[in-house]
């Protein structure tokens, strides 16, 4: 059951959180783990804990391993670098 919930979460929520991050993440400095990213990341982790039935005391690293998902900051950076690599290769 948690696997189905995670698939739905990825499809319905995470896509909204990451939408356009390939463009705005680098230009706003959001990938430095302060401000909005920090709050968004905390909400993301809390939701993963609820979906997986894990305790609040579960370390973040363990949470990401159990969930099989990276931190949002990692996703943002990955999308940003993929976007910029595509732009550079189109020259």
């Amino acid at each position: 059951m948690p696997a189905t919930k995670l698939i739905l979460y990825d499809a319905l929520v995470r896509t909204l959180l990451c939408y356009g991050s390939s463009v705005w993440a680098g230009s706003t400095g959001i990938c430095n783990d302060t401000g909005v990213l920090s709050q968004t990341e905390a909400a993301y982790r809390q939701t993963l804990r609820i979906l997986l039935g894990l305790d609040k005391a579960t370390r973040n690293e363990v949470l990401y391993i159990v969930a099989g998902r990276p931190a949002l900051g990692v996703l943002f950076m990955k999308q940003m670098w993929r976007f910029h690599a595509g732009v550079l290769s189109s020259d």
Side-chain angles (χ1 to χ4, degrees):
M1 188 72 156
T4 304
K5 290 178 183 179
L6 287 172
I7 291 169
L8 287 171
Y9 180 76
D10 288 345
L12 301 172
V13 178
R14 196 174 79 180
T15 54
L16 294 174
L17 292 173
C18 295
Y19 181 77
S21 64
S22 56
V23 176
W24 55 257
S27 64
T28 60
I30 200 166
C31 287
N32 61 9
D33 203 26
T34 59
V36 176
L37 177 62
S38 181
Q39 294 171 1
T40 308
E41 190 76 58
Y44 176 66
R45 287 190 304 263
Q46 180 181 9
T47 305
L48 286 176
R49 283 186 176 92
I50 291 168
L51 292 175
L52 295 169
L54 297 175
D55 188 64
K56 280 184 175 182
T58 305
R59 294 178 50 89
N60 295 338
E61 297 83 5
V62 174
L63 172 67
Y64 293 131
I65 291 169
V66 171
R69 277 131 181 88
L72 282 180
V74 173
L75 290 173
F76 292 165
M77 291 298 288
K78 196 177 195 181
Q79 289 180 331
M80 184 178 69
W81 284 110
R82 192 176 301 142
F83 172 76
H84 289 291
V87 170
L88 292 174
S89 68
S90 67
D91 288 341

